[in-house]
Structures are given as C-alpha cells and as structure tokens.
C-alpha cells in the first residue's frame, strides 16, 4: 500500500485488542495470545519507524486490566519485564526513544526499574518515540494531573488547556492524529482521552496477533484520504 510520506500522522495511538480471543480460537491459553501480540507490536513499531512516524503510543496495560486473573496480570508484567530487558538492541538499531505513560506508583518495583532503564538508555535516540502506556487510564491521567495543579496552588483562573497539558504524564506529547483499534470493538476504552480530541479513528475486525504491516500502512493511507477540519467549515464546500 502506497502512502504519502509528506502527510504522515505525527502521532499514532494503537489499542492492541484481541490477543486473548486470538488464543482461544487457536485452542491456546490466553497468555499465549499476549506473547504473540508482543511480536506483532515489535513489527508495527518497526514499520512506523521505517516510514518516519514521529510518535507511536501503544496501549500495553490499562488501569482496568488489574481486574483480570492474577495469573494473566502476572504473565503480562513478566512479559513487559522480559521485553524491556531483551529488546534494547532493537531500539538502538532503529534509534527508537522510549517514554512511559501511566501511573508508576501502581507498578511492581522491578517493572518501574525496567522502564526507568529503558527510558534512560534511549533518551538520546532521535527516531520514532515509542510511548508505552502501562498502568494507564485516560481519566486517571487527567485526575492525577489535576491533583498536581492543586498541590502546586494553581488558581482557578490560571487553569486552561495549556496548564492541564503541562500537568500530564508527558507534557510535550502531541495530540493523536490517528487512533487505531484492532479486535472489532468500537470504543476507546479510556485511552488517551485528553490527547485525542480530533483524532481520526479506525476500527478493524483484525485481532491484534493477525494485524500486519500491510494493514498498518493501509490504515495510514485511509487516514491520508480524510479531510481534517478540527471543527471548521471550509468555504465553498458542504463540509
């Protein structure tokens, strides 16, 4: 699928849904679906890096995912731990910078250490920035940001979009241009609520372990065909 490298989205957010259902359909344990999903994430991040997309945010583990069984959440934490330890050579080769989005305080100490090490080791890389949303919820991020404003004595008339943005986990994170959700569900599931006010949304039936580089590029091509108005009306059209 041909894409225009001059009109790429600056920030792509991806809800990687369908790992568990994929595993069930393969008569595998749900955890095996998550392991396969990690492989797919690596391929898609590489594809984004190859075409020059500046930011990709992956919804890796939500604040609501703790409601799953202890076996599944433990497996997911271990998978994150293994990946961050094992894949530095991949990030170095592609000059991918890592950042974390989410509530650090709710994560195990070893995972926090892994995240800190990955962020520090890649901070000078100038390729695609991969934002890892781990223990993340959109409402939780906004609530924690407002608490910071209150803590620092921000007065009510000083609160605007700029001050709220500065209080969030990554104040410099640009708004999402394209938000992709795999797995057939048609909802945002508390993902990047502040950051995606005018994101173009693409929902695909494809389960995440079956999502390919070709489909990713096709989604970008679809995004590039859309006319983004940001609430404006273009003169001479009925839009």
């Amino acid at each position: 699928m041909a894409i225009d490298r001059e009109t790429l989205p600056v920030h792509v957010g991806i809800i990687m849904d369908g790992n568990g259902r994929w595993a069930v359909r393969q008569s595998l344990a749900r955890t095996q679906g998550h392991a396969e999903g990690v492989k797919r994430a690596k391929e898609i991040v590489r594809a984004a890096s190859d075409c020059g997309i500046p930011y990709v945010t992956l919804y890796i583990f939500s604040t609501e995912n703790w409601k799953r069984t202890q076996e599944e959440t433990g497996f997911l934490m271990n998978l994150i731990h293994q990946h961050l330890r094992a894949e530095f050579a991949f990030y170095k080769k592609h000059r991918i910078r890592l950042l974390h989005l989410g509530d650090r305080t709710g994560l195990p100490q070893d995972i926090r250490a892994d995240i800190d090490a990955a962020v520090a080791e890649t901070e000078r890389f100038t390729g695609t920035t991969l934002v890892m949303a781990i223990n993340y919820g959109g409402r939780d991020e906004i609530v924690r940001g407002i608490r910071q404003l209150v803590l620092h004595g921000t007065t009510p008339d000083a609160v605007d979009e700029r001050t709220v943005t500065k209080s969030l986990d990554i104040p410099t994170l640009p708004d999402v241009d394209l938000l992709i959700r795999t797995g057939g569900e048609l909802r945002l599931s508390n993902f990047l609520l502040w950051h995606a006010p005018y994101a173009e949304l693409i929902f695909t039936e494809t389960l995440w372990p079956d999502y390919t580089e070709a489909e990713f590029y096709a989604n970008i091509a679809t995004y590039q065909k859309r006319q983004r108005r940001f609430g404006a009306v273009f003169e001479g059209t009925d839009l």
Side-chain angles (χ1 to χ4, degrees):
M1 174 66 65
I3 59 174
D4 179 3
R5 291 176 182 265
E6 299 301 315
T7 58
L8 290 169
V10 171
H11 184 184
V12 177
I14 305 178
I15 301 174
M16 306 177 292
D17 194 20
N19 291 330
R21 281 173 286 153
W22 179 88
V24 169
R25 292 179 188 181
Q26 309 295 322
S27 299
L28 300 170
R30 285 178 56 87
T31 52
Q32 292 304 111
H34 295 307
E36 192 65 28
V38 169
K39 299 178 186 176
R40 206 62 58 239
K42 184 177 176 180
E43 291 176 6
I44 298 306
V45 169
R46 186 185 64 238
S49 173
D50 287 347
C51 71
I53 294 173
Y55 288 84
V56 175
T57 298
L58 298 182
Y59 207 4
I60 296 171
F61 191 93
S62 78
T63 50
E64 289 77 28
N65 285 156
W66 295 110
K67 298 174 185 177
R68 299 184 181 186
T69 66
Q70 187 173 357
E71 178 188 9
E72 187 169 355
T73 57
F75 181 88
L76 286 167
M77 287 296 113
N78 189 54
L79 202 57
I80 293 168
H81 171 73
Q82 291 178 349
H83 177 82
L84 289 174
R85 290 292 181 91
E87 296 298 342
F88 178 71
F90 167 76
Y91 296 120
K92 183 177 181 180
K93 176 181 178 181
H94 297 279
R95 312 303 292 170
I96 294 169
R97 178 177 65 145
L98 298 181
L99 294 176
H100 173 246
L101 190 67
D103 183 4
R104 290 170 46 83
T105 63
L107 289 169
Q109 179 59 44
D110 61 335
I111 300 298
R112 293 202 300 269
D114 291 336
I115 290 171
D116 290 344
V119 169
E121 289 169 354
T122 64
E123 65 179 348
R124 297 186 183 278
F125 294 169
T126 57
T128 295
T129 294
L130 171 60
V131 180
M132 308 172 292
I134 303 173
N135 198 31
Y136 176 78
R139 286 186 171 182
D140 178 70
E141 181 186 21
I142 294 167
V143 167
R144 287 187 289 105
I146 291 172
R147 284 176 180 162
Q148 288 300 310
L149 293 178
V150 173
L151 184 64
H152 291 94
T154 307
T155 60
D157 29 343
V159 176
D160 55 19
E161 288 190 15
R162 183 183 61 84
T163 54
V164 173
T165 298
K166 287 177 66 176
S167 74
L168 299 179
D169 292 344
I170 306 175
T172 57
L173 188 65
D175 282 349
V176 177
D177 296 304
L178 170 61
L179 195 154
I180 300 167
R181 179 171 187 152
T182 63
E185 302 292 354
L186 306 179
R187 54 179 176 265
L188 297 180
S189 294
N190 202 16
F191 183 51
L192 296 176
L193 300 183
W194 181 266
H195 308 279
Y198 283 100
E200 296 297 321
L201 308 180
I202 292 181
F203 298 97
T204 172
E205 295 288 333
T206 306
L207 301 178
W208 178 247
D210 291 327
Y211 189 74
T212 63
E213 180 179 324
E215 186 168 1
F216 178 62
Y217 286 142
N219 290 161
I220 294 171
T222 297
Y223 160 85
Q224 291 178 328
K225 293 175 183 175
R226 295 186 182 177
Q227 188 175 51
R228 305 185 72 200
R229 302 191 299 278
F230 300 96
V233 176
F234 294 143
E235 203 169 318
T237 74
D238 57 358
L239 299 176

